[in-house]
């Protein structure tokens, strides 16, 4: 889900910077259904807005919210499923009466699941059955499992209340609860960030892997040149160079990072992680309609790296001030220095936003 969200964000930033508006037909419904998620996303998206100097439209935000909402709904469904208490009925009457009792307890299906119906003679089997609660029409001795004594198989409202209260107590002991929407996703997000933040751009690139102001007659030749640079870095074999072109052909518009920038990822048989970057002397048309000035190719061994790479590249090429600066730099060393300074600023900016976030909530 996180990787899909990253892909969506990349496309969304490209739309926003291009002035394209994508209408979400259920945007208002999403806002009304998940107001907490919407407000949190809107607040956190400001960090990206500061980097790219563009504002996210409400419809774009509501599209992003759907990813968070999907994770939360899945988490909520799993939590509800886990929270249902497997329960046994112990009844002294016949099977017909036990079935009547079972029917009366249907009202509690959201909190208990009757998995066993047994007589008092089979009480010793309860432990092995895996149930966590017992509902009985007679007092039970020497039973370690929590049980509720009901007044009769007819199960009145007072009995229902006792059963429900007992089930809730069991849930509390098991610490079963449904996280709020943001916590549900953020736990997953933190795990992904921990995995994906292992390498910065300056750990992928080197001045030797950056090439400036070369002229190519087609995007294919430019992409091939970026692949050759990657092979010279020892990331891929020479026989894999044409895979850069195949990647771009199969991904089409999805390979556009932002205006004028194309990005490709190679994972097969990558010997070591590195990247190459080519700035063209003259624009070439990608897929016949998209003018391209930069080609970036990454050789990666772990797909989790993609998330961090895309974020930093968007911060680099999507920022108007930085873009003006990198369009003017004259040497690979200058370009590498811009990357390094940009990544330092990202870390600083993230820390500032984090402490501001805490102060607003009176944590600090």
């Amino acid at each position: 889900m996180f990787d899909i969200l990253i892909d969506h964000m990349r496309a969304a930033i490209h739309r926003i910077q291009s002035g394209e508006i994508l209408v979400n037909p259920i945007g208002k419904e999403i806002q009304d259904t998940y107001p907490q998620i919407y407000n949190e996303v809107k607040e956190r998206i400001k960090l990206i807005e500061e980097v790219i100097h563009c504002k996210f439209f409400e419809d774009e935000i509501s599209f992003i919210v759907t990813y968070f909402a999907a994770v939360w709904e899945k988490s909520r469904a799993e939590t509800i499923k886990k929270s249902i208490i497997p329960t046994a009925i112990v009844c002294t009457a016949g099977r017909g009466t036990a079935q009547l009792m079972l029917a009366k307890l249907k009202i509690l299906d959201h909190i208990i699941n009757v998995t066993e119906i047994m007589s008092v003679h089979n009480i010793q089997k309860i432990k092995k059955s895996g149930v966590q609660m017992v509902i009985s029409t007679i007092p039970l001795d020497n039973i370690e499992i929590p049980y509720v004594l009901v007044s009769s198989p007819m199960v009145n409202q007072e009995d229902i209340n006792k059963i429900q209260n007992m089930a809730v107590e069991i849930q509390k002991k098991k610490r079963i609860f449904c996280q709020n929407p943001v916590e549900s996703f953020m736990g997953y997000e933190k795990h992904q960030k921990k995995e994906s933040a292992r390498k910065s751009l300056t750990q992928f690139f080197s001045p030797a892997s950056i090439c400036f102001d070369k002229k190519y007659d087609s995007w294919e030749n430019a992409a091939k040149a970026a692949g050759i640079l990657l092979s010279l870095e020892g990331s891929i074999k020479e026989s894999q160079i044409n895979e850069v072109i195949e990647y771009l052909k199969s991904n089409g518009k999805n390979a556009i990072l932002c205006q004028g920038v194309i990005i490709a990822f190679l994972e097969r048989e990558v010997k070591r992680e590195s990247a190459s970057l080519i700035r063209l002397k003259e624009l070439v048309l990608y897929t016949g309609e998209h003018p391209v000035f930069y080609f970036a190719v990454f050789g990666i061994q772990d797909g989790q790296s993609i998330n961090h790479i895309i974020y930093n590249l968007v911060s680099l090429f999507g920022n108007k001030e930085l873009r003006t600066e990198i369009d003017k730099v004259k040497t690979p060393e200058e370009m590498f220095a811009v990357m390094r300074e940009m990544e330092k600023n990202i870390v600083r900016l993230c820390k500032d936003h984090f402490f501001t976030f805490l102060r607003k909530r009176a944590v600090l």
Side-chain angles (χ1 to χ4, degrees):
M1 182 68 77
F2 194 81
D3 290 334
I4 299 173
L5 174 59
I6 290 294
D7 288 340
H8 178 93
M9 290 298 296
R10 180 173 58 178
I13 290 169
H14 178 67
R15 284 193 296 270
I16 292 165
Q17 292 181 324
S18 303
E20 181 184 345
I21 298 176
L22 185 63
V23 177
N24 188 343
I26 59 170
K28 183 63 169 63
E29 188 176 350
I30 289 170
Q31 290 185 44
D32 293 341
T33 306
Y34 305 101
Q36 184 181 358
I37 304 179
Y38 183 86
N39 290 333
E40 287 282 358
V41 169
K42 191 172 183 179
E43 179 67 26
R44 293 165 192 259
I45 213 77
K46 290 178 182 177
L47 176 61
I48 299 176
E49 290 176 337
E50 288 186 19
V51 171
I52 66 174
H53 295 287
C54 290
K55 193 84 172 173
F56 276 74
F57 302 111
E58 286 196 353
D59 277 350
E60 285 287 3
I61 294 174
S62 64
F63 274 121
I64 296 166
V65 168
T66 58
Y67 293 91
F68 289 81
V71 172
W72 179 65
E73 290 290 0
K74 183 179 179 181
S75 173
R76 188 166 72 103
E78 290 175 353
T79 301
I80 291 171
K81 185 177 179 181
K82 290 177 183 177
S83 70
I84 297 176
I85 308 299
T87 305
I89 291 176
V90 176
C91 183
T92 56
R95 289 185 180 180
T97 306
Q99 288 301 316
L100 174 61
M101 187 176 174
L102 182 61
K104 295 277 258 181
L105 292 173
K106 276 288 181 183
I107 195 173
L108 296 175
D109 272 357
H110 66 287
I111 198 167
I112 67 170
N113 176 31
V114 178
T115 58
E116 299 285 341
I117 299 176
M118 58 183 65
S119 69
V120 69
H121 306 295
N122 296 325
I123 198 70
Q124 297 304 319
K125 293 181 180 180
I126 287 182
K127 280 187 180 181
K128 297 179 181 180
S129 67
V131 299
Q132 297 170 4
M133 184 173 75
V134 177
I135 302 170
S136 178
T137 57
I138 59 169
L140 300 175
D141 297 323
N142 301 321
I143 183 170
E144 297 176 2
I145 299 172
Y147 87 96
V148 177
L149 178 63
V150 295
S151 56
S152 78
M154 293 301 291
V155 187
N156 59 30
Q157 187 57 50
E158 185 180 347
D159 295 327
I160 293 293
N161 293 339
K162 287 196 304 185
I163 294 167
Q164 192 161 354
N165 290 339
M166 176 67 76
V168 169
E169 287 303 313
I170 294 171
Q171 287 179 335
K172 285 180 180 178
K173 288 178 181 177
K174 291 171 64 179
R175 298 192 176 186
I176 294 174
F177 59 94
C178 189
Q179 291 177 305
N180 72 51
V182 178
E183 287 175 351
S184 179
F185 191 92
M186 292 307 291
Y188 178 72
E189 181 191 26
K190 286 175 184 175
H191 168 72
Q192 293 293 334
K193 283 186 176 179
K194 184 179 179 182
E195 291 296 314
S196 63
R198 288 170 299 177
K199 274 196 172 186
S200 61
L201 289 182
T202 49
Q203 290 174 303
F204 276 97
F205 290 103
S206 70
S209 69
I210 300 172
C211 182
F212 278 179
D213 301 330
K214 296 289 183 179
K215 187 176 179 180
Y216 299 97
D217 57 4
S218 67
W219 72 262
E220 288 93 343
N221 285 336
K224 185 175 182 179
I228 291 172
L229 266 182
L230 197 64
S231 69
L232 292 175
E233 285 291 295
S235 180
I236 61 173
K237 300 174 184 176
E238 189 176 344
S239 59
Q240 293 177 268
I241 291 172
N242 285 330
E243 290 183 17
V244 178
I245 298 172
E246 295 305 316
Y247 176 94
L248 294 175
K249 282 182 177 179
S250 62
N251 281 273
K253 292 181 181 180
N254 291 327
I256 301 174
L257 177 76
C258 55
Q259 191 170 6
V261 183
I262 296 295
I263 184 171
F265 292 98
L266 299 184
E267 295 184 64
R268 190 180 70 85
E269 296 182 19
V270 170
K271 290 181 281 186
R272 75 179 189 87
E273 292 192 322
S274 63
S276 63
L277 176 68
I278 288 184
R279 186 178 74 185
L280 307 184
K281 187 174 183 178
E282 295 179 3
L283 295 171
V284 295
L285 288 180
Y286 174 61
T287 64
E289 55 180 325
H290 301 286
V292 178
F293 197 44
Y294 289 92
F295 279 83
V297 180
F298 286 80
I300 58 173
Q301 295 172 327
D302 179 3
Q304 296 295 340
S305 303
I306 295 175
N307 302 333
H308 196 61
I309 292 168
I310 290 175
Y311 177 81
N312 282 1
L313 280 177
V314 169
S315 301
L316 181 67
F317 288 103
N319 183 298
K320 291 181 181 179
E321 293 177 4
L322 280 177
R323 181 63 177 267
T324 301
E325 185 177 352
I326 62 179
D327 284 347
K328 292 179 179 179
V329 295
K330 296 180 179 180
T331 67
E333 287 76 16
E334 289 177 4
M335 180 67 174
F336 190 76
V338 172
M339 286 183 183
R340 185 167 50 218
E341 187 60 29
M342 179 272 298
E343 290 184 319
K344 287 180 182 178
N345 289 336
I346 285 178
V347 172
R348 194 179 303 118
L349 186 59
C350 286
K351 287 180 178 178
D352 290 344
H353 273 261
F354 177 70
F355 287 117
T356 300
F357 179 78
L358 293 179
R359 288 190 188 99
K360 282 183 179 179
R361 285 149 181 79
V363 177
L364 293 179

